[in-house]
Amino acid sequence: MSPALADIHPEDTQLEENEERTMIDPTSRDDPKFKELVKVLLNWINDVLVEERIIVKQLEEDLYDGQVLQKLLEKLAGCKLNVTEVTQSEIGQKQKLQTVLEAVHDLLRPRGWALRWSVDSIHGKNLVAILHLLVSLAMHFRAPIRLPEHVTVQVVVVRKREGLLHSSHISEELTTATEMMMGRFERDAFDTLFDHAPDKLSVVKKFADGVYLVLLMGLLEDYFVPLHNFYLTPESFDQKVHNVSFAFELMLDGGLKKPKARPEDVVNLDLKSTLRVLYNLFTKYKNVE
């Protein structure tokens, strides 16, 4: 036993020969950004599954058997998976996980995501693998949440060789910049525009707090927007998100398609997302006098 293994739990010493186990370094678990990532994902899952009366308290303990992941994917994708609802056996749990993860892979593979999880890692309560999976799902389904950027953890890898435990440390990047993560999903004409004229687009930042978007919808649809429905001088991030979300609702009411951008992207000064919103408005109302 080396000093580096001092924090390993007793069950982790019962590895078979050449078996490997990974765990997050305790110092990384205490990192504020890591804690924030876990909290945001937990709250998101519980919000999505509120009608199912499911409350997730600990990711690795509540998601490993596939039951919650099944419900989460069905709710997000609007589908029904052909799996046994409740199963207690390890074989049954892994079969359910296999079905759920295959459905996830069918969604994510075309988008170019690196699939950094497996049935064994999820069922083995590998928190890093579970977080990789949840971050991918959140980004794919454009979850209305704000993931902390550049979250990296130190992972301890323990392997048993010749009866002795050997450890090593690796870094795992759980999130990057929001723009980079969203960029894995789409490149279109707006990307080309940004490649060639990024310095000429700062004007759209004035829409970041949502006020102009709300007032603009009122002007385009010819109605007065009651001031109690939005924050005229928003101060917090949440107030700005409220404004942009409200503007999106007005767009839907006006017959526009649901914006691809998330309200959080607009508030975070994501120019590409903001331009997409404005272009949709221009397309619909360009002939309005």
Coordinates of all heavy atoms in Angstrom, one line a residue, residues 27-84:
T27 N -9.6 16.1 -3.1 CA -9.4 17.5 -3.3 C -10.3 18.0 -4.4 O -10.8 19.2 -4.4 CB -8.0 17.9 -3.5 OG1 -7.5 17.1 -4.7 CG2 -7.1 17.5 -2.3
S28 N -10.5 17.2 -5.5 CA -11.3 17.6 -6.6 C -12.8 17.6 -6.2 O -13.6 18.5 -6.6 CB -11.2 16.7 -7.8 OG -9.9 16.9 -8.3
R29 N -13.2 16.7 -5.3 CA -14.6 16.7 -4.8 C -14.9 17.9 -4.1 O -16.1 18.4 -4.0 CB -14.8 15.4 -3.9 CG -15.0 14.1 -4.7 CD -15.4 13.0 -3.7 NE -15.7 11.8 -4.4 CZ -16.9 11.5 -4.8 NH1 -18.0 12.3 -4.6 NH2 -17.2 10.3 -5.5
D30 N -13.9 18.5 -3.4 CA -14.2 19.7 -2.6 C -14.1 21.0 -3.5 O -14.3 22.1 -3.0 CB -13.1 19.8 -1.5 CG -13.4 18.7 -0.4 OD1 -14.5 18.3 -0.3 OD2 -12.4 18.4 0.2
D31 N -13.7 20.9 -4.7 CA -13.6 22.1 -5.6 C -15.0 22.7 -5.8 O -15.9 22.0 -6.2 CB -13.0 21.7 -7.0 CG -12.8 22.9 -7.9 OD1 -11.8 23.6 -7.7 OD2 -13.7 23.1 -8.7
P32 N -15.1 24.0 -5.6 CA -16.4 24.7 -5.7 C -17.1 24.5 -7.1 O -18.3 24.3 -7.2 CB -16.1 26.1 -5.5 CG -14.9 26.1 -4.6 CD -14.1 24.9 -5.1
K33 N -16.3 24.5 -8.2 CA -16.9 24.4 -9.5 C -17.4 23.0 -9.7 O -18.4 22.7 -10.4 CB -15.8 24.7 -10.6 CG -15.5 26.2 -10.6 CD -14.4 26.5 -11.6 CE -14.8 26.4 -13.0 NZ -13.8 26.8 -14.0
F34 N -16.7 22.0 -9.2 CA -17.2 20.6 -9.3 C -18.5 20.4 -8.5 O -19.4 19.8 -9.0 CB -16.1 19.6 -8.7 CG -16.6 18.2 -8.7 CD1 -16.6 17.4 -9.8 CD2 -17.0 17.6 -7.5 CE1 -17.1 16.1 -9.8 CE2 -17.4 16.3 -7.4 CZ -17.5 15.5 -8.5
K35 N -18.5 21.0 -7.3 CA -19.7 20.9 -6.5 C -20.9 21.6 -7.2 O -22.0 21.1 -7.2 CB -19.5 21.5 -5.1 CG -18.6 20.7 -4.2 CD -18.5 21.4 -2.8 CE -17.8 20.5 -1.8 NZ -17.7 21.2 -0.5
E36 N -20.6 22.7 -7.8 CA -21.6 23.4 -8.6 C -22.2 22.6 -9.7 O -23.4 22.6 -10.0 CB -21.1 24.8 -9.1 CG -22.1 25.6 -9.9 CD -23.3 26.1 -9.1 OE1 -23.2 26.0 -7.8 OE2 -24.2 26.5 -9.7
L37 N -21.3 21.9 -10.5 CA -21.7 21.1 -11.6 C -22.6 20.0 -11.1 O -23.7 19.8 -11.7 CB -20.4 20.5 -12.3 CG -20.7 19.5 -13.4 CD1 -21.4 20.3 -14.6 CD2 -19.4 18.9 -13.9
V38 N -22.2 19.3 -10.1 CA -23.1 18.2 -9.5 C -24.4 18.8 -9.1 O -25.5 18.2 -9.4 CB -22.4 17.5 -8.3 CG1 -23.3 16.5 -7.7 CG2 -21.1 16.8 -8.8
K39 N -24.4 19.9 -8.4 CA -25.7 20.5 -7.9 C -26.6 20.9 -9.1 O -27.8 20.6 -9.1 CB -25.4 21.7 -7.1 CG -26.6 22.5 -6.6 CD -26.2 23.7 -5.8 CE -27.4 24.5 -5.3 NZ -27.0 25.8 -4.6
V40 N -26.0 21.5 -10.1 CA -26.8 22.0 -11.3 C -27.5 20.8 -12.0 O -28.6 20.8 -12.3 CB -26.0 22.8 -12.2 CG1 -26.7 23.0 -13.6 CG2 -25.6 24.1 -11.6
L41 N -26.7 19.7 -12.2 CA -27.2 18.5 -12.8 C -28.2 17.8 -12.0 O -29.3 17.3 -12.5 CB -26.0 17.6 -13.2 CG -25.1 18.1 -14.3 CD1 -23.9 17.2 -14.4 CD2 -25.8 18.2 -15.6
L42 N -28.0 17.8 -10.7 CA -29.0 17.2 -9.8 C -30.4 17.9 -9.9 O -31.4 17.3 -10.0 CB -28.5 17.2 -8.4 CG -27.8 16.0 -7.8 CD1 -27.3 16.2 -6.4 CD2 -28.7 14.7 -7.8
N43 N -30.3 19.2 -9.8 CA -31.5 20.0 -9.8 C -32.2 19.9 -11.2 O -33.4 19.8 -11.3 CB -31.2 21.5 -9.6 CG -30.8 21.7 -8.1 OD1 -31.1 21.0 -7.2 ND2 -30.1 22.8 -7.9
W44 N -31.4 19.8 -12.2 CA -32.0 19.7 -13.6 C -32.7 18.3 -13.7 O -33.9 18.3 -14.2 CB -30.9 19.7 -14.6 CG -31.3 19.4 -16.0 CD1 -32.3 20.0 -16.7 CD2 -30.8 18.3 -16.8 NE1 -32.4 19.3 -18.0 CE2 -31.5 18.3 -18.1 CE3 -29.8 17.4 -16.7 CZ2 -31.2 17.4 -19.1 CZ3 -29.5 16.5 -17.7 CH2 -30.2 16.5 -18.9
I45 N -32.1 17.2 -13.3 CA -32.8 15.9 -13.3 C -34.1 16.0 -12.5 O -35.1 15.5 -13.0 CB -31.8 14.8 -12.8 CG1 -30.6 14.7 -13.7 CG2 -32.6 13.5 -12.7 CD1 -29.6 13.7 -13.1
N46 N -34.0 16.5 -11.4 CA -35.2 16.6 -10.5 C -36.3 17.4 -11.1 O -37.5 17.1 -11.0 CB -34.9 17.0 -9.1 CG -34.1 16.0 -8.3 OD1 -34.4 14.8 -8.5 ND2 -33.2 16.4 -7.5
D47 N -35.9 18.5 -11.8 CA -36.9 19.3 -12.5 C -37.6 18.6 -13.6 O -38.8 18.7 -13.8 CB -36.3 20.6 -13.0 CG -36.0 21.6 -11.9 OD1 -36.5 21.5 -10.8 OD2 -35.1 22.5 -12.2
V48 N -36.8 17.9 -14.4 CA -37.3 17.1 -15.5 C -38.3 16.0 -15.1 O -39.3 15.8 -15.7 CB -36.2 16.5 -16.4 CG1 -36.7 15.6 -17.5 CG2 -35.3 17.6 -17.0
L49 N -37.9 15.4 -14.0 CA -38.7 14.2 -13.5 C -39.7 14.5 -12.4 O -40.2 13.6 -11.7 CB -37.7 13.1 -13.0 CG -36.7 12.6 -14.1 CD1 -35.8 11.5 -13.4 CD2 -37.5 12.0 -15.2
V50 N -40.0 15.8 -12.2 CA -40.9 16.2 -11.1 C -42.3 15.5 -11.2 O -42.8 15.1 -10.2 CB -41.1 17.7 -11.1 CG1 -41.7 18.3 -12.3 CG2 -41.8 18.1 -9.8
E51 N -42.8 15.3 -12.4 CA -44.1 14.7 -12.6 C -44.0 13.2 -12.3 O -45.0 12.5 -12.1 CB -44.6 14.9 -14.0 CG -44.9 16.4 -14.3 CD -45.4 16.6 -15.7 OE1 -45.5 15.6 -16.4 OE2 -45.8 17.8 -16.0
E52 N -42.8 12.6 -12.4 CA -42.6 11.2 -12.1 C -42.5 10.9 -10.6 O -42.3 9.8 -10.2 CB -41.4 10.7 -12.9 CG -41.4 10.8 -14.4 CD -42.4 9.9 -15.0 OE1 -42.7 8.9 -14.4 OE2 -42.9 10.2 -16.1
R53 N -42.5 12.0 -9.8 CA -42.3 11.8 -8.4 C -41.0 11.1 -8.0 O -40.9 10.3 -7.1 CB -43.5 11.1 -7.8 CG -44.8 11.8 -8.0 CD -46.0 11.1 -7.3 NE -47.3 11.7 -7.5 CZ -47.7 12.8 -6.9 NH1 -47.0 13.3 -5.9 NH2 -48.9 13.3 -7.2
I54 N -40.0 11.4 -8.8 CA -38.6 10.9 -8.6 C -37.8 12.0 -8.1 O -37.7 13.1 -8.6 CB -38.0 10.3 -9.9 CG1 -38.8 9.1 -10.4 CG2 -36.6 10.0 -9.7 CD1 -38.4 8.6 -11.7
I55 N -37.1 11.7 -7.0 CA -36.1 12.7 -6.4 C -34.8 12.1 -6.3 O -34.6 11.1 -5.6 CB -36.6 13.2 -5.0 CG1 -38.0 13.9 -5.1 CG2 -35.6 14.1 -4.4 CD1 -38.5 14.3 -3.7
V56 N -33.8 12.6 -7.1 CA -32.4 12.1 -7.1 C -31.7 12.9 -6.0 O -31.6 14.1 -6.1 CB -31.8 12.3 -8.5 CG1 -30.3 11.9 -8.4 CG2 -32.6 11.4 -9.5
K57 N -31.0 12.2 -5.1 CA -30.2 12.9 -4.1 C -28.7 12.7 -4.3 O -27.9 13.6 -3.9 CB -30.6 12.3 -2.7 CG -32.1 12.6 -2.3 CD -32.4 12.1 -1.0 CE -33.8 12.4 -0.6 NZ -34.2 11.9 0.8
Q58 N -28.3 11.6 -4.9 CA -26.9 11.3 -5.1 C -26.7 10.6 -6.5 O -27.3 9.6 -6.7 CB -26.3 10.4 -4.0 CG -24.8 10.4 -4.0 CD -24.3 9.7 -2.7 OE1 -25.1 9.2 -1.9 NE2 -23.0 9.5 -2.6
L59 N -26.0 11.2 -7.4 CA -25.9 10.8 -8.7 C -25.5 9.3 -8.8 O -26.1 8.5 -9.5 CB -25.0 11.7 -9.5 CG -25.4 13.1 -9.8 CD1 -24.4 13.9 -10.5 CD2 -26.8 13.2 -10.5
E60 N -24.4 9.0 -8.2 CA -23.8 7.6 -8.4 C -24.7 6.6 -7.8 O -24.8 5.4 -8.3 CB -22.4 7.5 -7.9 CG -22.2 7.9 -6.5 CD -21.8 9.3 -6.3 OE1 -22.5 10.2 -6.7 OE2 -20.7 9.5 -5.6
E61 N -25.4 6.9 -6.7 CA -26.2 5.9 -6.0 C -27.6 5.8 -6.6 O -28.2 4.7 -6.6 CB -26.4 6.3 -4.5 CG -25.1 6.2 -3.7 CD -24.6 4.8 -3.7 OE1 -25.4 3.8 -3.7 OE2 -23.3 4.6 -3.5
D62 N -28.1 6.8 -7.3 CA -29.5 6.8 -7.8 C -29.5 6.5 -9.3 O -30.6 6.3 -9.8 CB -30.1 8.2 -7.5 CG -30.4 8.4 -6.0 OD1 -30.3 7.4 -5.3 OD2 -30.5 9.5 -5.6
L63 N -28.4 6.6 -10.0 CA -28.5 6.5 -11.5 C -27.8 5.2 -12.0 O -28.0 4.8 -13.1 CB -27.8 7.6 -12.2 CG -28.6 8.8 -12.5 CD1 -29.2 9.5 -11.3 CD2 -27.8 9.9 -13.3
Y64 N -27.1 4.4 -11.1 CA -26.3 3.3 -11.6 C -27.1 2.2 -12.2 O -26.7 1.4 -13.0 CB -25.4 2.8 -10.5 CG -26.1 1.9 -9.5 CD1 -26.1 0.5 -9.7 CD2 -26.9 2.4 -8.4 CE1 -26.7 -0.4 -8.8 CE2 -27.5 1.5 -7.5 CZ -27.4 0.2 -7.7 OH -28.1 -0.7 -6.9
D65 N -28.4 2.0 -11.7 CA -29.2 0.8 -12.1 C -30.0 1.0 -13.4 O -30.6 0.1 -13.9 CB -30.1 0.3 -11.0 CG -31.1 1.4 -10.6 OD1 -31.1 2.5 -11.2 OD2 -31.9 1.1 -9.7
G66 N -29.9 2.3 -13.9 CA -30.6 2.5 -15.2 C -32.0 3.0 -15.1 O -32.6 3.5 -16.1
Q67 N -32.7 2.9 -13.9 CA -34.1 3.2 -13.8 C -34.3 4.7 -14.0 O -35.2 5.1 -14.8 CB -34.6 2.8 -12.4 CG -36.0 3.1 -12.1 CD -37.0 2.1 -12.8 OE1 -36.5 1.1 -13.3 NE2 -38.2 2.5 -13.0
V68 N -33.5 5.6 -13.3 CA -33.7 7.0 -13.4 C -33.2 7.5 -14.8 O -33.9 8.3 -15.4 CB -32.9 7.7 -12.3 CG1 -33.0 9.2 -12.5 CG2 -33.5 7.4 -10.9
L69 N -32.2 6.9 -15.3 CA -31.7 7.3 -16.6 C -32.7 7.0 -17.7 O -32.9 7.7 -18.7 CB -30.4 6.6 -17.0 CG -29.1 7.1 -16.3 CD1 -27.9 6.2 -16.6 CD2 -28.8 8.5 -16.7
Q70 N -33.4 5.8 -17.5 CA -34.5 5.5 -18.5 C -35.6 6.5 -18.5 O -36.0 7.1 -19.5 CB -35.1 4.1 -18.1 CG -36.4 3.8 -18.9 CD -37.3 2.9 -18.2 OE1 -36.9 2.2 -17.2 NE2 -38.6 2.8 -18.6
K71 N -36.1 6.9 -17.3 CA -37.1 7.9 -17.2 C -36.7 9.3 -17.7 O -37.4 10.0 -18.3 CB -37.5 8.1 -15.7 CG -38.2 6.8 -15.1 CD -39.5 6.4 -15.8 CE -40.1 5.2 -15.1 NZ -41.4 4.8 -15.8
L72 N -35.4 9.6 -17.4 CA -34.9 10.9 -17.9 C -34.8 11.0 -19.4 O -35.3 12.0 -20.0 CB -33.5 11.1 -17.3 CG -32.7 12.4 -17.7 CD1 -33.5 13.6 -17.1 CD2 -31.3 12.4 -17.2
L73 N -34.3 9.9 -20.0 CA -34.2 9.9 -21.5 C -35.6 9.9 -22.1 O -35.8 10.6 -23.1 CB -33.4 8.7 -22.0 CG -33.2 8.6 -23.5 CD1 -32.4 9.9 -23.9 CD2 -32.4 7.4 -23.8
E74 N -36.5 9.1 -21.6 CA -37.9 9.1 -22.1 C -38.5 10.5 -22.1 O -39.2 10.9 -23.0 CB -38.7 8.1 -21.4 CG -38.3 6.6 -21.7 CD -39.1 5.6 -20.9 OE1 -39.7 6.0 -19.9 OE2 -39.2 4.4 -21.3
K75 N -38.3 11.2 -21.0 CA -38.9 12.5 -20.8 C -38.3 13.5 -21.7 O -39.0 14.3 -22.4 CB -38.7 12.9 -19.3 CG -39.6 14.1 -18.9 CD -41.0 13.6 -18.7 CE -41.9 14.7 -18.1 NZ -43.3 14.3 -18.0
L76 N -37.0 13.5 -21.9 CA -36.2 14.4 -22.7 C -36.5 14.2 -24.2 O -36.7 15.1 -25.0 CB -34.7 14.4 -22.4 CG -34.3 14.8 -21.1 CD1 -32.8 14.5 -20.9 CD2 -34.5 16.3 -20.9
A77 N -36.5 12.9 -24.6 CA -36.6 12.6 -26.0 C -38.0 12.4 -26.5 O -38.3 12.2 -27.7 CB -35.8 11.4 -26.3
G78 N -39.0 12.3 -25.5 CA -40.4 12.0 -25.8 C -40.6 10.7 -26.4 O -41.4 10.5 -27.4
C79 N -39.9 9.7 -25.9 CA -40.0 8.3 -26.4 C -40.3 7.3 -25.3 O -40.3 7.7 -24.1 CB -38.7 7.9 -27.1 SG -37.3 7.8 -26.0
K80 N -40.5 6.1 -25.7 CA -40.7 5.0 -24.7 C -39.8 3.9 -25.0 O -39.8 3.4 -26.1 CB -42.2 4.6 -24.8 CG -42.6 3.5 -23.7 CD -42.6 4.1 -22.3 CE -43.0 3.1 -21.3 NZ -43.0 3.6 -19.9
L81 N -38.9 3.5 -24.0 CA -38.0 2.5 -24.2 C -38.6 1.1 -23.9 O -39.3 1.0 -22.9 CB -36.7 2.7 -23.4 CG -36.0 4.0 -23.7 CD1 -34.8 4.2 -22.8 CD2 -35.5 4.1 -25.1
N82 N -38.2 0.1 -24.6 CA -38.7 -1.2 -24.4 C -37.8 -1.9 -23.3 O -37.0 -2.7 -23.7 CB -38.8 -2.0 -25.7 CG -39.4 -3.4 -25.5 OD1 -40.2 -3.6 -24.6 ND2 -39.1 -4.3 -26.4
V83 N -38.1 -1.6 -22.1 CA -37.3 -2.2 -21.0 C -38.2 -2.6 -19.9 O -39.3 -2.1 -19.7 CB -36.2 -1.2 -20.5 CG1 -35.2 -1.0 -21.5 CG2 -36.8 0.1 -20.0
T84 N -37.7 -3.5 -19.0 CA -38.5 -3.9 -17.8 C -38.4 -2.7 -16.8 O -37.4 -2.1 -16.6 CB -37.8 -5.1 -17.1 OG1 -37.8 -6.2 -18.1 CG2 -38.6 -5.6 -15.9

